[in-house]
């Protein structure tokens, strides 16, 4: 496995809608290796999710995992999920504001409204159909990664850029004490 270079905001791949995969592509050794590399890259950089455009591949693949992550210490655990060609098929009406960061927009946090719950249909890494019902932080991460696959980033979803903060200042002034 390899740790891949992360594309940052400004690289055109971050703004390009990515392509769905065929069943044949999903089972190919190249895509299987890409998925392994995405998981390793997410863990290396302490992300809770990573979408393929973030590693310069314009394909509809996202990986998500929350396991004692030091960047998001108080968030509930989410076991490793590989979502291919994901579709958000329903969303709850209620929007919840919370902080997000992004490996492609380093050292910043902003407050982003997201639907509190959703249902996502996708394929897993073996091409098998998955239906994921998520709420709270997991639902937030799915929306963040799904946005990447459309060429959107969390900044596009913020109601106002006034909460945008450097990570160090966020830690000093804005981090919630929910311990
Ligand atoms: Zn991101």
């Amino acid at each position: 496995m390899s740790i891949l270079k992360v594309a940052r905001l400004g690289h055109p791949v971050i703004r390009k809608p990515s392509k769905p995969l065929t069943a044949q592509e999903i089972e190919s050794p190249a895509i299987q290796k890409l998925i392994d590399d995405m998981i390793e890259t997410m863990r290396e950089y302490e992300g809770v999710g990573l979408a393929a455009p973030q590693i310069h591949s314009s394909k509809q693949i996202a990986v998500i995992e929350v396991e004692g992550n030091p960047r998001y210490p108080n968030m509930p655990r989410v076991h490793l999920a590989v979502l291919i060609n994901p579709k958000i098929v329903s969303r709850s009406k209620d929007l919840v504001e919370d902080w997000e960061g992004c490996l492609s927009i380093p050292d910043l946090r902003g407050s982003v409204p997201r639907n509190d719950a959703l249902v996502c249909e996708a394929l897993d890494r073996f091409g098998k159909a998955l239906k994921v019902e998520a709420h709270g932080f997991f639902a937030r991460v799915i929306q963040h990664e799904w946005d990447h696959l459309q060429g959107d980033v969390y900044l596009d979803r913020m109601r106002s850029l006034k909460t945008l903060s450097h990570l160090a200042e966020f830690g000093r002034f804005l981090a919630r004490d929910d311990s």
Side-chain angles (χ1 to χ4, degrees):
M1 291 200 283
S2 331
I3 293 162
L4 305 170
K5 188 176 176 193
V6 176
R8 291 180 296 186
L9 188 66
H11 192 297
V13 73
I14 294 293
R15 289 307 195 173
K16 193 175 158 189
S18 54
K19 289 207 178 82
L21 278 76
T22 63
Q24 208 173 8
E25 280 178 296
I26 293 170
E27 63 188 29
S28 71
I31 292 296
Q32 290 297 316
K33 181 175 188 309
L34 186 77
I35 293 168
D36 286 335
D37 290 347
M38 285 177 66
I39 294 166
E40 196 180 15
T41 303
M42 169 177 67
R43 289 175 176 163
E44 173 69 17
Y45 295 112
E46 296 172 341
V48 290
L50 189 72
Q54 292 185 275
I55 45 89
H56 306 85
S57 175
S58 205
K59 296 183 193 309
Q60 289 190 14
I61 306 171
V63 296
I64 295 173
E65 184 181 54
V66 188
E67 295 271 357
N69 188 299
R71 289 174 71 236
Y72 298 91
N74 301 317
M75 292 304 173
R77 267 177 116 183
V78 176
H79 289 293
L80 178 66
V82 177
L83 303 176
I84 298 173
N85 303 345
K87 289 185 179 67
I88 297 177
V89 294
S90 70
R91 299 170 183 258
S92 63
K93 284 202 184 85
D94 44 330
L95 292 172
V96 178
E97 287 269 348
D98 209 345
W99 297 97
E100 292 186 24
C102 181
L103 295 178
S104 297
I105 309 169
D107 298 327
L108 291 174
R109 286 286 166 93
S111 183
V112 187
R114 298 285 189 188
N115 301 98
D116 192 38
L118 58 81
V119 178
C120 174
E121 290 178 357
L123 301 174
D124 70 9
R125 66 177 301 167
F126 307 106
K128 200 174 131 234
L130 277 180
K131 189 171 181 177
V132 181
E133 290 176 34
H135 68 275
F137 189 59
F138 186 25
R140 176 171 296 276
V141 178
I142 290 175
Q143 289 168 82
H144 180 116
E145 302 311 329
W146 184 85
D147 273 357
H148 274 303
L149 302 180
Q150 323 307 313
D152 294 330
V153 299
Y154 78 84
L155 303 175
D156 305 327
R157 301 281 182 198
M158 290 175 69
R159 288 193 174 106
S160 155
L161 292 175
K162 286 187 178 178
T163 62
L164 196 63
S165 309
H166 273 280
L167 204 49
E169 313 304 340
F170 170 82
R172 286 174 69 200
F173 300 113
L174 296 164
R176 287 183 320 183
D177 182 14
D178 50 5
S179 54

